[in-house]
Amino acid sequence: MSAASRILVARGKNEPQELENPDVGWGQRARDGVWVPTKDGQRIHIGIDVTAADTVAQVIRPTFRAFIGVDVDTDMLAQTTSSGIRLLTVIHGPDAPEEYRFPFTLADGLALEAMPSGGYDVVHLRYGATVGRLYSPWACDSMFRQVKADYVLDGNVVTMRVKHEGAYYPVVADPMYSL
């Protein structure tokens, strides 16, 4: 069983179920990112801005793909869920970066709004309704110890920061978007 699988199993039954979702459209390469739906029927694009952005996804099954070696000591596992996506970031060693960038392209009338939890809501500006959510990231090492992870927003680019110094590798960080 892979380290990422062990960590997900240890997190319990509240994990989102991996399901085929026809409204989610993955690009072929990491830089192509993913198109995801919002509650109001629009679509937004979440990019994956990494050093090896031309890395082609290895499609494990229609709802699960692996981007191997997208950065130094880093892989990303992309999972489609019933209501969105997960971008499991697997950090293999101390030379891996501490920041991972996810540019958001939002439809007209939508904006990212910071939440007290550390995540971001996609908000419909006219109605004030939340139509999507980027949940606050969690991260842990191979000993299941919590690793500090948070987001920083610059324009429409969400940067996930993972402070993995002193951790037992691999470290898994989990940005997740859902309706």
Side-chain angles (χ1 to χ4, degrees):
M1 180 182 279
S2 74
S5 296
R6 286 195 316 262
I7 290 170
L8 292 177
V9 168
R11 282 191 39 107
K13 298 178 183 176
N14 294 330
E15 291 299 308
Q17 295 299 306
E18 180 181 322
L19 289 173
E20 202 156 338
N21 184 340
D23 294 327
V24 172
W26 291 98
Q28 182 179 5
R29 294 174 300 254
R31 72 178 158 100
D32 298 332
V34 59
W35 287 93
V36 293
T38 61
K39 283 184 184 176
D40 64 346
Q42 298 187 69
R43 290 169 55 89
I44 63 173
H45 181 261
I46 303 172
I48 304 171
D49 183 8
V50 289
T51 302
D54 283 330
T55 301
V56 175
Q58 295 178 19
V59 179
I60 311 301
R61 49 187 173 265
T63 56
F64 194 72
R65 39 197 40 53
F67 296 99
I68 305 301
V70 293
D71 217 316
V72 175
D73 285 341
T74 305
D75 301 326
M76 282 198 182
L77 306 173
Q79 179 184 43
T80 304
T81 66
S82 60
S83 62
I85 61 146
R86 297 173 81 174
L87 290 168
L88 292 159
T89 306
V90 182
I91 300 167
H92 296 285
D95 293 333
E98 289 191 345
E99 293 186 348
Y100 300 91
R101 296 169 38 94
F102 302 100
F104 276 65
T105 304
L106 303 172
D108 286 340
L110 299 180
L112 290 170
E113 184 176 308
M115 293 290 106
S117 66
Y120 288 91
D121 279 2
V122 178
V123 176
H124 192 287
L125 294 174
R126 182 172 180 196
Y127 302 109
T130 296
V131 296
R133 177 166 289 148
L134 180 66
Y135 287 90
S136 60
W138 62 263
C140 68
D141 67 13
S142 62
M143 300 298 289
F144 304 105
R145 296 182 313 170
Q146 184 175 353
V147 173
K148 182 173 175 32
D150 62 6
Y151 291 133
V152 175
L153 181 65
D154 182 16
N156 279 345
V157 177
V158 175
T159 300
M160 178 179 66
R161 300 182 302 187
V162 182
K163 305 293 183 192
H164 57 85
E165 184 179 347
Y168 290 96
Y169 298 97
V171 169
V172 176
D174 185 16
M176 181 176 78
Y177 168 85
S178 184
L179 298 177

